[in-house]
Amino acid sequence: MDRDSETVAMKEAKRRERQLGPGRYGLHDVEALEDGENDIGMCGWFLVGLSVLLMIATLPISIWMCIKIVKEYERAIIFRLGRILRGGAKGPGLFFILPCTDSFINVDMRTITFDIPPQEVLTKDSVTVSVDGVVYYRVQNATLAVANITNADAATRLLAQTTLRNVLGTKNLAEILSDREEIAHSMQSTLDDATDDWGIKVERVEIKDVKLPQQLQRAMAAEAEASREARAKVIAAEGEMNASRALKEASLVIAESPSALQLRYLQTLNTIAAEKNSTIIFPLPLEMMHGFMKH
């Protein structure tokens, strides 16, 4: 059973190495690395012992070379003879190193913000647009950020630019202009999955601006103006139709009572007189003219 377990473990390690690449660590590998002993060999322990003796022999001068301090938002990855020291990242606060065999790298754990430069993107409906954005990310695992990639910051910036072009290339212009939140969420998920092996956590992605070509802006403005004019004409036609219906109903009411027409005449005269016009038009009923026409 022990041999079978060792064989399965070796196969699993080889499979993980093929997936991640030589010298790369996954999350479970880092946990084992931080909790287990680092085998540096007999020669390595001999050098460590000489370093300790040298430090003791040169006290108290050597103490200033052994004491290191990292800030609250930093973590230190210590390498002893080229291998990550047991316990993983150190800090914040005070820690000790051996001056001859140990070296360390500071990793900033704060959230980092950077602008994605404007990217010329060809949309799904063959329209060229210029889009820029902003990305918020932080180092979630300092060991992975040091052991798995040379420069996590530069790699995340380049990956964000590529992801922006890839995601927008699958959208048409209307979707880019209206579905910015969905595009930002898709980019955030893609970046977070891609940077997981680097110990990077992408917290937020935002699309800042979408710039259209001048000719396309003029065409869209003309289309919007024509659409507004069409709606205005429809509204005016509906108003005329409603007014004609109201006039028809009013004429039917006046036809039922002839005296109502006289009252309407008087209201019209009152309105004209209130405006202080120099000329007053007095309408005469046609019935009065019939008498003169008979004579």
Side-chain angles (χ1 to χ4, degrees), residues 161-289:
Q161 298 177 22
T162 306
T163 304
L164 178 63
R165 290 195 296 267
N166 293 339
V167 171
L168 295 182
T170 61
K171 306 288 183 180
N172 55 40
L173 181 60
E175 292 175 345
I176 293 176
L177 295 176
S178 60
D179 298 338
R180 293 192 180 186
E181 293 184 0
E182 181 181 354
I183 294 173
H185 180 71
S186 177
M187 284 188 58
Q188 189 266 337
S189 300
T190 303
L191 285 173
D192 196 22
D193 293 339
T195 58
D196 190 32
D197 290 338
W198 303 344
I200 301 295
K201 173 65 177 176
V202 178
E203 297 178 339
R204 190 178 182 88
V205 177
E206 293 292 342
I207 303 298
K208 292 175 59 179
D209 191 16
V210 179
K211 297 181 180 180
L212 304 177
Q214 293 295 330
Q215 295 180 353
L216 183 59
Q217 292 182 14
R218 289 193 294 267
M220 294 178 65
E223 180 182 0
E225 184 178 358
S227 178
R228 292 191 184 94
E229 289 180 356
R231 288 197 298 268
K233 291 181 180 179
V234 171
I235 293 173
E238 291 177 353
E240 292 291 338
M241 182 177 62
N242 295 332
S244 62
R245 290 176 180 175
L247 289 175
K248 179 182 178 181
E249 295 176 359
S251 64
L252 293 176
V253 173
I254 292 175
E256 294 176 356
S257 177
S259 60
L261 183 60
Q262 300 296 330
L263 293 176
R264 185 60 182 163
Y265 287 160
L266 294 176
Q267 290 177 356
T268 304
L269 289 176
N270 188 21
T271 303
I272 295 174
E275 295 179 0
K276 297 180 182 181
N277 294 323
S278 60
T279 301
I280 298 178
I281 300 175
F282 185 76
L284 292 175
L286 294 178
E287 289 78 1
M288 296 178 61
M289 301 300 296

Side-chain angles (χ1 to χ4, degrees), residues 2-3 8 22 26 39 65 72 79 114 158 170 190 219-220 243 257 277:
D2 294 337
R3 292 182 179 179
V8 172
D39 187 12
M65 301 177 62
E72 182 68 29
F79 293 88
F114 69 89
L158 293 176
T170 61
T190 303
M220 294 178 65
S257 177
N277 294 323

Side-chain angles (χ1 to χ4, degrees), residues 49-212:
L50 288 180
S51 179
V52 172
L53 292 177
L54 180 62
M55 180 189 68
I56 296 174
T58 57
L59 284 175
I61 299 175
S62 61
I63 194 66
W64 302 108
M65 301 177 62
C66 299
I67 295 178
K68 301 295 180 183
I69 299 174
V70 291
K71 299 177 182 178
E72 182 68 29
Y73 53 84
E74 291 179 338
R75 299 295 183 271
I77 305 299
I78 303 176
F79 293 88
R80 176 163 293 172
L81 296 176
R83 303 198 59 169
I84 297 177
L85 192 64
R86 180 170 60 89
K90 304 295 183 181
L94 186 71
F95 64 96
F96 296 87
I97 65 171
L98 296 178
C100 298
T101 59
D102 292 356
S103 61
F104 70 96
I105 297 177
N106 282 344
V107 180
D108 196 332
M109 305 294 289
R110 293 177 293 181
T111 297
I112 300 174
T113 306
F114 69 89
D115 292 328
I116 302 177
Q119 304 293 311
E120 295 290 336
V121 180
L122 183 64
T123 63
K124 189 176 180 180
D125 50 355
S126 301
V127 178
T128 302
V129 295
S130 178
V131 184
D132 58 354
V134 60
V135 177
Y136 302 84
Y137 76 93
R138 61 182 174 85
V139 176
Q140 189 176 24
N141 192 309
T143 305
L144 289 179
V146 172
N148 279 357
I149 192 166
T150 303
N151 191 332
D153 181 71
T156 305
R157 292 173 185 267
L158 293 176
L159 184 61
Q161 298 177 22
T162 306
T163 304
L164 178 63
R165 290 195 296 267
N166 293 339
V167 171
L168 295 182
T170 61
K171 306 288 183 180
N172 55 40
L173 181 60
E175 292 175 345
I176 293 176
L177 295 176
S178 60
D179 298 338
R180 293 192 180 186
E181 293 184 0
E182 181 181 354
I183 294 173
H185 180 71
S186 177
M187 284 188 58
Q188 189 266 337
S189 300
T190 303
L191 285 173
D192 196 22
D193 293 339
T195 58
D196 190 32
D197 290 338
W198 303 344
I200 301 295
K201 173 65 177 176
V202 178
E203 297 178 339
R204 190 178 182 88
V205 177
E206 293 292 342
I207 303 298
K208 292 175 59 179
D209 191 16
V210 179
K211 297 181 180 180
L212 304 177

